[in-house]
Amino acid sequence: MDFAEKKNRLRVLLGASRVFQRKGYAKTRMEDFVEESKIGKKTLYEYYPNKEEVLKAAADYRQNKAAFRLKRIRNNSALDFSKRFVKMRKELLDVCRPSHFALWKELQDQIPEIWRMVKAKRVQLIDTEIESLLEEGKKLGEFRADLRPDLFIMALIACSDAVYKWEQNPTERRANISELDNIFLYGIIRRGNETLKSS
């Protein structure tokens, strides 16, 4: 793949993310990607035969990018553990933007095979970074020794899923995610340790 093709594919994926968030999956057409990314229709079809393939590629791109950001935070030796943990929490909260909730719900309800693919990729990429940082926290004595990262991640995912299904405005959803986050952290942070508070 040459540089021009990589650049064009990236334009399509970035444009597709905006279109899917704005219109949802069902109402999006291939022509919308052409218009948004300013790329020729013939070129688009050479890369992706249909909008399902565009969605898969866009989701894959976004998750790889999120995993890269999380890994960079985890490996930032200039920050102590508590600062890295807080930055990772904020990064994860930013991934759950209100503009994504409607699309996620549509995928889960109407295109479950793509939703399963997105969730599996998240486990492979993003959950791995979270688990690594949680294990480091246990070794440093910042977290309870009996913390099981896999159960912690499952619980956070279940709560996030519940939050975006609620009939609330985006501000209320975000506040609830923050509150759930604090509840979990109260249970895993070593008692008496005030260093990991984000406020």
Side-chain angles (χ1 to χ4, degrees):
M1 187 185 307
D2 62 19
F3 177 75
E5 182 176 346
K6 283 183 182 177
K7 187 177 175 183
N8 283 340
R9 283 180 182 266
L10 181 58
R11 283 170 57 192
V12 171
L13 298 181
L14 293 174
S17 294
R18 292 189 296 269
V19 172
F20 282 130
Q21 287 176 41
R22 194 169 60 240
K23 299 182 78 170
Y25 180 80
K27 293 180 181 176
T28 296
R29 303 167 299 126
M30 289 292 277
E31 290 75 17
D32 295 322
F33 306 138
V34 171
E35 196 174 297
E36 186 77 23
S37 60
K38 308 289 189 262
I39 196 170
K41 191 173 185 178
K42 182 180 176 186
T43 304
L44 173 65
Y45 277 96
E46 285 175 9
Y47 299 154
Y48 307 104
N50 53 54
K51 72 176 180 179
E52 182 176 317
E53 293 305 313
V54 175
L55 177 62
K56 287 178 182 176
D60 190 57
Y61 170 76
R62 288 182 61 80
Q63 288 181 314
N64 276 303
K65 191 174 172 185
F68 175 78
R69 288 195 304 267
L70 291 172
K71 188 170 194 168
R72 191 172 56 194
I73 292 168
R74 183 170 62 84
N75 293 327
N76 187 348
S77 57
L79 299 175
D80 65 19
F81 177 81
S82 62
K83 288 181 180 162
R84 284 184 288 131
F85 186 71
V86 168
K87 280 180 76 73
M88 185 175 274
R89 286 172 56 213
K90 288 180 179 174
E91 182 68 36
L92 288 167
L93 194 56
D94 285 342
V95 169
C96 300
R97 291 176 186 161
S99 60
H100 300 164
F101 294 151
L103 178 60
W104 291 347
K105 179 152 179 46
E106 182 182 11
L107 294 182
Q108 190 172 13
D109 293 345
Q110 298 175 24
I111 321 157
E113 65 280 0
I114 294 182
W115 178 248
R116 283 191 295 273
M117 181 213 70
V118 168
K119 286 183 82 171
K121 189 76 171 181
R122 181 192 64 207
V123 169
Q124 177 190 351
L125 293 172
I126 297 172
D127 291 6
T128 300
E129 294 304 321
I130 300 168
E131 187 169 337
S132 297
L133 196 69
L134 293 175
E135 286 294 346
E136 182 183 347
K138 284 168 61 175
K139 287 177 186 171
L140 292 171
E142 298 286 354
F143 296 152
R144 290 170 32 172
D146 62 349
L147 169 66
R148 282 190 49 192
D150 58 332
L151 295 180
F152 175 73
I153 292 168
M154 284 172 56
L156 284 178
I157 290 167
C159 287
S160 293
D161 287 348
V163 165
Y164 79 75
K165 288 178 185 172
W166 294 346
E167 296 299 323
Q168 295 177 318
N169 68 47
T171 303
E172 290 170 327
R173 286 190 187 119
R174 192 170 181 87
N176 278 318
I177 292 173
S178 295
E179 183 58 29
L180 288 167
D181 188 38
N182 290 332
I183 290 168
F184 277 112
L185 290 174
Y186 179 78
I188 69 165
I189 294 176
R190 189 168 44 117
R191 291 184 186 275
N193 186 348
E194 301 295 322
T195 61
L196 294 179
K197 287 188 177 177
S198 57
S199 56

